[in-house]
Amino acid sequence: MSSFPKQVSLHGQRAYITPDNELVAQKSHVSGGERSIGRQGGNVVIPGAPGVVAHFHDFLGDLIPDELQYFEGDTGHSAAIAVATNGLFRMTTSTTAAKTPAAVLGVNEGIKANWKANQGALRMSARLKMSAKNGGQNIFVGFTDTGGTEMPFHDTGAATIVSTASNAVGWLYGGAGATANVWTGIGVKANTDKTPVTGDVPVVNKFDVLEVRIGDTGSDGSGDVAYFYQNGILKGSITSPVTTTTALYPVIAAFSKDTGGWFVDVDYFNVSANRDTGT
């Protein structure tokens, strides 16, 4: 199932129109869609549509783009554009940093909290992989009201996930404890944690496409439900995941509670929502 619901099919499952009058086709504008054989699914909304505000980075070139804010909670962390096929943003954790959720490594889209759930059709997707699984990794992909060097959620091996942000929603990977070595869809609204959604186990050095969409299947996508997709497959949903009027940052963040450095490779980073009407 795609995060863009079908309204009118043009040619079987290969092309269709969404309730928002978007044309969705494999390998095309509003690209991706349902998982195809041998490929990981996931949607990308291309910037430029008059009714949608969108941001996309493919990490080509040799410098971290100015539009992205890179932050680190400890000088032992590092990040750079890797020389690799597709272009990758590589975040490498410190081998010596204090192992706390405040000593994190991350990147977000700009330095402003430009996104709110009440925009309608708010979504973020990223394609990424991790270099190792030693039990100490924590990776978050999603939205948070915390824009600085703080992990919105983390799993330190306890029975429950710890939420640091007041409002946040997205995917968390933790190497031990509550997340049990799987990608987990999570949310916190006004400091109240939501029941998580269980995804699939990641494979070392294999890409996962992670997507969270806040909205419904209506024409304006303004529903208050977060849908979680992994590799184009719907894994579950959380009702009322965040306060809809709270300004949010899209972020990819990581920290390790154990010794030993490891890295996260981000292939692309895509954020979009309905454009503000001004009313």
Side-chain angles (χ1 to χ4, degrees), residues 36 103 105 151:
S36 57
L105 169 69
M151 197 75 177

Side-chain angles (χ1 to χ4, degrees), residues 27-43:
K27 305 179 183 179
S28 186
H29 191 71
V30 184
S31 65
E34 297 181 9
R35 184 171 61 181
S36 57
I37 296 175
R39 292 185 178 272
Q40 290 160 306
N43 293 308

Side-chain angles (χ1 to χ4, degrees), residues 19 41-42 88 106 108 116 180 199 209 228 234 242 269:
L88 298 173
N108 67 26
K116 295 181 179 180
V209 179
F228 296 88
L234 179 65
V242 294
F269 181 26

Side-chain angles (χ1 to χ4, degrees), residues 94-105:
S94 170
T95 60
T96 59
K99 305 304 178 182
T100 71
V104 303
L105 169 69

Side-chain angles (χ1 to χ4, degrees), residues 3-69:
S3 61
F4 291 102
K6 297 179 183 67
Q7 176 171 279
V8 178
S9 177
L10 301 182
H11 192 14
Q13 302 298 312
R14 288 180 285 180
Y16 57 91
I17 297 172
T18 75
D20 296 321
N21 293 319
E22 299 163 316
L23 175 62
V24 179
Q26 295 286 338
K27 305 179 183 179
S28 186
H29 191 71
V30 184
S31 65
E34 297 181 9
R35 184 171 61 181
S36 57
I37 296 175
R39 292 185 178 272
Q40 290 160 306
N43 293 308
V44 170
V45 176
I46 306 299
V52 176
V53 57
H55 204 83
F56 178 82
H57 272 293
D58 219 348
F59 302 110
L60 301 173
D62 58 352
L63 297 175
I64 299 173
D66 291 340
E67 302 92 297
L68 295 182
Q69 179 191 25

